Amino acid sequence: MGKVRVLIADPFEALGGEEEVAFYIYQELDRNKFEVYITGDEGSIYFQKKCPKKTEMINVYPKGKTNFQEMIRFRKIVKNKKIDIINVHGYSGGFFVRLACMGLKDTKIIWTMHTNVEDMFPYRSFRQRISTFVENIINNHMVFTDQIITVCHDSRKKLLERGITKVPITTIYNGIDIGKFTIDEKKYDSKKEIVLGFFSRLSTQKDVPLLLESMRRLVREKKDVRLIIAGDGDQKRYVKQYITEHRLQKYITYLDFCKNISKQFLKIDILVLPTHYECFPMILLEAMCTGTPVIASDVGGVAEIVKDGFNGYLVQAENINDFLEKINCYIEDKSLIETHGKNGKKHIEEKYSKDRMVLQYSDIYERTV
């Protein structure tokens, strides 16, 4: 048997964890076993950061629920290249690819779920109900999907609760490049101020208002705390206005988007992630790998990364008092920063490496053909 032809598909329209995982797999698959291709828009923001080989690139933008002309073109390319497996990542790409390739007998479709569709739209709205209904149909019929991969057990549980039982579901945790984020052991100076870090997209998904209001209260209470924000998104203007209006320039530093986020972990003591919903945020893995404890909302698969009181703290989503209480835990006992940081670093190195993740995907591909 020759090499297995694998196509990694994603719109690659952002710089988040979904895109990182998809590109990791594309980049690291064993070329002795697999003939690997990748698809996305060549002009996308992600491919400006990391560029695939031209001989392995298929320039199709896999997004658009009614983009039938592009779906037909994509289907023809898949058939002409005799693709054995398509591993499509995410909600929008998952819809496009699975509709375009439905019923292809010689191509297996593996969908990696990075976000729960029910979290993406207002609760019980018409759009949420319709989107969930349609995705359930695509998920639960092997004419569309041969295998589902969830990036945390929480997502698998939610799929089963939605009645997705006819297609196999496997959990493979997201992994990170341990070497990229490993640094010399952090030394914490108990006499200096505590520096919090928020490194994420500035979107409505993240609870940016809670984050900023928390800092305003800490400053008002004369706590010795600063905040560094690094990220871009539709709430960027709101962040800048809030800092100016409340005269927080001395206490909050806004860095915009940072390409090399690993260096920013050297500047902070604690990573904070107040958020309305998540699946399995990569930024938590990256922070812990550098020995940085985290405070994060207990949503989605976050509790599968953060062990409360061991490598950081879990907080109730949208609860500012809970969030402030956990920050004060570190203010009142600064030795916890170092203890939780060491615990988190060991936890990530043992369980969440990129190499481990790619080997698990490779095994799935080989067993699926």
Side-chain angles (χ1 to χ4, degrees):
M1 183 177 176
K3 294 180 182 179
V4 177
R5 295 185 179 92
V6 177
L7 171 60
I8 306 299
D10 189 276
F12 289 101
E13 59 185 351
L15 296 169
E18 174 189 318
E19 292 79 14
E20 283 293 293
V21 167
F23 198 86
Y24 271 156
I25 297 166
Y26 156 75
Q27 193 173 41
E28 298 300 326
L29 277 176
D30 186 350
R31 265 46 176 189
N32 292 317
K33 293 182 179 180
F34 302 102
E35 185 177 319
V36 188
Y37 297 92
I38 190 168
T39 188
D41 181 4
E42 285 183 331
S44 73
I45 185 172
Y46 190 88
F47 288 148
Q48 293 173 28
K49 174 186 174 185
K50 294 182 180 179
C51 187
K53 293 181 180 179
K54 288 186 178 180
T55 55
E56 297 176 342
M57 179 68 192
I58 297 174
N59 188 27
V60 174
Y61 182 50
K63 185 177 180 180
K65 294 179 180 178
T66 58
N67 192 0
F68 300 120
Q69 186 174 353
E70 193 73 347
M71 287 181 187
I72 292 170
R73 186 170 81 89
F74 180 77
R75 186 183 178 96
K76 287 180 180 178
I77 291 171
V78 168
K79 291 175 72 174
N80 289 339
K81 288 191 174 292
K82 298 180 179 179
I83 300 297
D84 298 304
I85 292 173
I86 302 175
N87 181 194
V88 57
H89 292 253
Y91 169 72
S92 56
F95 189 97
F96 177 99
V97 168
R98 290 185 287 176
L99 194 61
C101 297
M102 64 176 178
L104 283 182
K105 294 181 180 180
D106 298 325
T107 303
K108 302 294 184 181
I109 309 297
I110 299 174
W111 176 58
T112 299
M113 172 185 174
H114 288 273
T115 305
N116 181 12
V117 65
E118 293 177 310
D119 291 331
M120 296 174 63
F121 308 106
Y123 182 59
R124 291 189 175 179
S125 66
F126 177 75
R127 190 177 180 189
Q128 185 205 50
R129 290 177 179 179
I130 290 296
S131 298
T132 303
F133 174 76
V134 172
E135 192 185 82
N136 283 350
I137 293 173
I138 295 175
N139 286 345
N140 222 14
H141 291 272
M142 297 191 78
V143 69
F144 298 106
T145 312
D146 295 281
Q147 171 85 39
I148 295 173
I149 295 175
T150 59
V151 298
C152 61
H153 291 298
D154 178 78
S155 293
R156 184 177 188 276
K157 178 183 175 183
K158 287 175 179 174
L159 286 178
L160 292 173
E161 289 173 349
R162 282 162 48 187
I164 311 303
T165 57
K166 296 178 182 178
V167 170
I169 305 173
T170 302
T171 296
I172 299 178
Y173 283 130
N174 288 342
I176 64 168
D177 188 343
I178 299 291
K180 179 181 176 181
F181 291 95
T182 298
I183 60 176
D184 293 335
E185 189 171 301
K186 278 182 144 183
K187 298 294 183 182
Y188 181 72
D189 182 358
S190 61
K191 296 181 181 179
K192 76 175 186 65
E193 64 190 355
I194 288 178
V195 182
L196 307 175
F198 178 82
F199 305 155
S200 185
R201 292 193 305 273
L202 298 176
S203 66
T204 53
Q205 175 188 350
K206 316 300 179 181
D207 201 345
V208 176
L210 181 145
L211 173 70
L212 295 174
E213 175 60 18
S214 297
M215 274 304 296
R216 189 181 73 84
R217 292 192 191 184
L218 288 167
V219 170
R220 189 176 61 195
E221 294 169 9
K222 301 189 184 302
K223 303 288 186 178
D224 201 9
V225 178
R226 283 198 306 112
L227 170 66
I228 297 175
I229 297 176
D232 200 358
D234 54 25
Q235 291 202 326
K236 175 178 176 178
R237 184 177 179 183
Y238 167 75
V239 169
K240 289 186 172 183
Q241 286 180 340
Y242 191 99
I243 293 171
T244 301
E245 288 174 8
H246 295 278
R247 300 179 182 179
L248 295 171
Q249 294 92 333
K250 182 180 176 181
Y251 307 98
I252 301 178
T253 302
Y254 176 64
L255 299 176
D256 212 326
F257 170 73
C258 296
K259 283 189 176 181
N260 191 350
I261 202 68
S262 59
K263 290 185 178 180
Q264 299 305 319
F265 289 115
L266 293 169
K267 301 176 183 179
I268 69 170
D269 302 302
I270 303 159
L271 182 90
V272 292
L273 185 67
T275 179
H276 297 294
Y277 65 89
E278 292 288 342
C279 198
F280 198 78
M282 298 280 281
I283 193 68
L284 299 183
L285 305 181
E286 294 166 355
M288 288 185 189
C289 193
T290 67
T292 305
V294 303
I295 300 174
S297 300
D298 186 4
V299 294
V302 169
E304 295 172 49
I305 308 170
V306 183
K307 308 304 177 185
D308 193 49
F310 177 75
N311 52 21
Y313 288 113
L314 295 168
V315 296
Q316 184 180 351
E318 303 176 26
N319 189 327
I320 191 169
N321 292 326
D322 195 14
F323 187 64
L324 286 168
E325 180 184 330
K326 295 306 188 294
I327 293 174
N328 279 313
C329 285
Y330 286 117
I331 293 174
E332 292 165 8
D333 186 357
K334 294 180 179 179
S335 68
L336 289 173
I337 295 175
E338 190 168 357
T339 301
H340 289 180
K342 288 180 179 178
N343 291 342
K345 184 178 173 71
K346 184 179 179 182
H347 180 59
I348 299 305
E349 289 175 345
E350 290 176 349
K351 200 169 183 178
Y352 300 108
S353 74
K354 174 188 71 175
D355 293 340
R356 180 185 177 123
M357 176 190 73
V358 173
L359 282 174
Q360 289 176 304
Y361 271 92
S362 177
D363 182 58
I364 287 281
Y365 298 160
E366 291 183 283
R367 287 191 283 110
T368 300
V369 174

